[in-house]
Amino acid sequence: MERDSQLELYGQVADRLKEAHAKVRELQVPEGVRMALSRKLLVVTAAAKHDLPGAARRLDRLMKDLDEGRFPEGD
């Protein structure tokens, strides 16, 4: 039963990561900001391999920041 919930969470995180990548691509922001956001998405992706619930929380925070227009500083 727990494996089923783990697979369900994995599918949800994968779908949300796709959504986040699309959202970042569509943003009208400087390239440095886009790169910083892409790095954050890569960190979430890597975290999902070892800590799926933690990655889901990180992704939730990142999506909330994107929705509210809070972006990291670009290089």
Side-chain angles (χ1 to χ4, degrees):
M1 194 66 149
E2 182 170 326
R3 180 152 171 82
D4 289 340
S5 64
Q6 188 81 351
L7 286 174
E8 183 178 333
L9 181 58
Y10 182 80
Q12 291 171 354
V13 170
D15 290 342
R16 298 217 47 229
L17 276 168
K18 288 179 191 177
E19 177 186 336
H21 278 280
K23 188 175 275 197
V24 167
R25 272 194 311 272
E26 294 169 1
L27 288 174
Q28 300 295 317
V29 294
E31 189 60 27
V33 172
R34 186 179 324 282
M35 289 176 59
L37 289 168
S38 293
R39 282 192 297 271
K40 285 181 176 271
L41 288 170
L42 289 173
V43 168
V44 171
T45 301
K49 295 176 184 177
H50 306 285
D51 179 16
L52 191 55
R57 287 188 299 274
R58 286 178 131 175
L59 185 55
D60 286 342
R61 284 191 306 268
L62 178 58
M63 293 296 283
K64 184 176 182 201
D65 287 346
L66 290 177
D67 290 343
E68 294 177 0
R70 289 192 305 261
F71 306 121
E73 295 291 322
D75 292 341

